[in-house]
């Protein structure tokens, strides 16, 4: 059965461009992103891995470790990384799994046979420090993902984990956030000293608490 939000992310050992890794050891106590791409030496994938590399500091700031995966060989990954660095003006510093036996693709349901029998689709999982799946997105091979959106979701997830707030539609860093329904207005007023704007009893905003 495929994974769902809140499920424990399966652990695995895998061959990567940074040596053999145990996924849980790689993640440690922090956050993680595991994302698949269809194939090395393809144009959209080249831009996606380049963009992720350019955002490495942003992921690190949020204590997020990044791990890419496709069913190509280590030899292909290592050759392709040179092309990514050259064409995207970056330095790929995160490991890429060589999932030739499709172990990871199987555990995370990354092959969608009606899209392709052989290649992984563009799956992305955000995994929390508790090793639970917090976000799953799946894009087709022809559409590159928006990695600023991934960072935005990580910010939202971390605000929820640390401050019991949610984020409204199209929320951006710095904008007001939502008090979750589990917190009473009385408690919210104590918990959020910057103020609580009660628009409706169920719709309450407060300034982003970690600024
Ligand atoms: C690409 O990364 O450009 C790509 C990969 C597989 C199928 C289509 C596009």
């Amino acid at each position: 059965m495929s994974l769902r939000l809140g499920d424990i992310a399966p652990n695995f050992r895998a061959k990567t461009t940074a040596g053999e890794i145990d996924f849980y050891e790689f993640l440690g106590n922090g956050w993680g992103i595991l994302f698949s791409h269809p194939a090395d030496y393809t144009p959209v994938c080249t831009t996606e891995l380049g963009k992720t590399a350019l955002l490495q500091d942003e992921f690190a700031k949020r204590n997020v470790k990044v791990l890419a995966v496709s069913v190509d060989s280590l030899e292909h990954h290592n050759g392709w990384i040179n092309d990514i660095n050259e064409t995207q003006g970056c330095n790929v510093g995160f490991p890429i799994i060589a999932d030739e036996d499709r172990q990871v693709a199987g555990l995370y349901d990354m092959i969608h046979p009606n899209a392709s029998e052989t290649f992984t689709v563009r799956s992305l999982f955000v995994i929390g420090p508790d090793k639970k799946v917090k976000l799953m997105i799946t894009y087709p091979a022809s559409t590159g993902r928006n990695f600023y959106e991934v960072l935005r979701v990580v910010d939202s997830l971390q605000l929820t984990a640390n401050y019991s707030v949610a984020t409204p539609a199209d929320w951006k860093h710095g904008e007001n956030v939502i008090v979750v329904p589990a917190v009473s207005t009385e408690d919210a007023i104590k918990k959020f000293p910057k103020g609580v704007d009660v628009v409706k009893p169920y719709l309450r905003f407060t300034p982003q608490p970690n600024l």
Side-chain angles (χ1 to χ4, degrees):
M1 198 170 76
S2 56
L3 285 173
R4 294 177 180 169
L5 294 187
D7 289 356
I8 294 288
N11 195 23
F12 54 80
R13 291 190 73 77
K15 229 171 28 170
T16 83
T17 50
E20 175 143 344
I21 63 157
D22 173 283
F23 187 43
Y24 280 11
E25 274 175 23
F26 171 77
L27 292 176
N29 295 321
W31 293 72
I33 289 180
L34 175 69
F35 71 118
S36 59
H37 58 273
D40 295 357
Y41 295 107
T42 52
V44 178
C45 299
T46 300
T47 63
E48 280 199 328
L49 270 71
K51 179 55 78 170
T52 306
L54 291 168
L55 292 174
Q56 274 164 148
D57 288 352
E58 292 299 321
F59 288 111
K61 256 200 293 194
R62 291 160 174 84
N63 196 21
V64 179
K65 295 254 182 70
V66 174
L67 183 56
V69 55
S70 82
V71 299
D72 296 283
S73 67
L74 221 39
E75 194 189 346
H76 271 167
H77 285 343
N78 284 323
W80 182 43
I81 284 172
N82 294 329
D83 283 5
I84 299 170
N85 290 343
E86 178 197 325
T87 62
Q88 308 304 303
C90 65
N91 184 11
V92 172
F94 52 86
I96 309 176
I97 298 171
D99 194 32
E100 289 178 281
D101 63 3
R102 294 157 170 67
Q103 182 215 175
V104 177
L107 284 173
Y108 284 82
D109 200 22
M110 289 165 165
I111 293 181
H112 296 197
N114 291 322
S116 164
E117 290 278 357
T118 45
F119 298 133
T120 41
V121 289
R122 296 188 196 283
S123 292
L124 184 147
F125 297 83
V126 174
I127 294 152
D130 55 4
K131 307 289 180 290
K132 290 186 177 166
V133 175
K134 307 293 182 186
L135 171 76
M136 299 164 55
I137 59 171
T138 305
Y139 273 43
S142 51
T143 307
R145 287 159 286 194
N146 183 332
F147 289 86
Y148 295 106
E149 170 62 4
V150 175
L151 285 171
R152 191 187 77 92
V153 179
V154 168
D155 284 344
S156 172
L157 288 166
Q158 293 186 344
L159 281 168
T160 303
N162 297 328
Y163 299 96
S164 307
V165 293
T167 55
D170 296 336
W171 172 84
K172 288 190 279 308
H173 182 78
E175 294 179 354
N176 286 352
V177 298
I178 285 176
V179 179
V180 295
V183 176
S184 69
T185 297
E186 193 187 350
D187 286 348
I189 289 164
K190 289 186 216 140
K191 194 172 163 66
F192 302 114
K194 291 178 192 163
V196 176
D197 176 19
V198 182
V199 180
K200 293 275 182 194
Y202 60 86
L203 181 61
R204 299 156 306 163
F205 292 91
T206 189
Q208 186 176 326
N210 61 341
L211 293 181

